[in-house]
Amino acid sequence: MRTTTRMPGVLGVLALLGLFLLPGAALAQELKLKVEVEVVLVSNKGDEVTPPELQKMKETFQRQNFSYTSFKRMSQQSIEVGSKEPTEVKLPNGVNASFLLLGMKDGSAKLRVTIPNQSAVEVQLGRQGAVYQRAGNHVGGDLVLVLNVPAK
């Protein structure tokens, strides 16, 4: 008795290849996210809050028992953070903060924030509001990054 094995047709081979190639192709695509980065100098020199929108930040810090009295915006920009290469932001104290998108799930994003001479941290950004991250010393105070996902 003779047995024959059938070779899959061209479409079958392509379908099998597609099953193996598509997941890899999907993983190769870079994730990107727009992030608003505000650099704020906080200190105990005076009681200036510039611009007035930083009053909310001051109140949040007071509730958390951070005793800063002065809040001054040093810069504000919108950046695009990707999952393959870090995006850098130059800070007034001469270092660069770098941001890398680690993933997105259920309307929130996980970022790795790296600032020289400090530990890299992972932060969760979403609809819950701003995330504050200390970014080093500067002219008698501390720099704080205010990170937000812009409203669509």
Side-chain angles (χ1 to χ4, degrees), residues 94-111:
V95 301
N96 289 335
S98 75
F99 304 88
L100 185 67
L101 180 59
L102 299 177
M104 293 191 286
K105 184 178 179 185
D106 299 330
S108 68
K110 185 184 282 190
L111 296 179

Side-chain angles (χ1 to χ4, degrees), residues 1 5-6 15 22 28 32-33 36 39 43 49 63-64 70-71 73 75-76 82 90 115 118-119 142-143 145 149-150:
M1 178 172 175
T5 28
R6 292 187 159 198
L22 287 178
K32 294 195 176 216
L33 177 71
E36 301 259 338
V39 181
S43 72
V49 178
R63 281 194 305 274
Q64 301 287 328
S70 176
F71 292 72
R73 180 185 295 152
S75 67
Q76 184 176 24
K90 184 147 183 74
I115 300 163
Q118 295 188 43
S119 297
D142 292 314
L143 292 175
L145 302 176
V149 176

Side-chain angles (χ1 to χ4, degrees), residues 41-105:
L41 176 63
V42 296
S43 72
N44 288 315
K45 294 181 178 179
D47 58 1
E48 173 185 25
V49 178
T50 308
E53 295 89 45
L54 292 179
Q55 185 63 37
K56 182 179 175 185
M57 181 180 177
K58 181 178 182 178
E59 291 165 4
T60 300
F61 274 45
Q62 287 173 337
R63 281 194 305 274
Q64 301 287 328
N65 292 322
F66 293 112
S67 62
Y68 298 110
T69 57
S70 176
F71 292 72
K72 182 179 180 186
R73 180 185 295 152
M74 304 297 285
S75 67
Q76 184 176 24
Q77 61 184 302
S78 184
I79 62 172
E80 188 170 75
V81 178
S83 60
K84 292 189 182 269
E85 293 290 323
T87 302
E88 293 192 341
V89 172
K90 184 147 183 74
L91 302 178
N93 60 359
V95 301
N96 289 335
S98 75
F99 304 88
L100 185 67
L101 180 59
L102 299 177
M104 293 191 286
K105 184 178 179 185

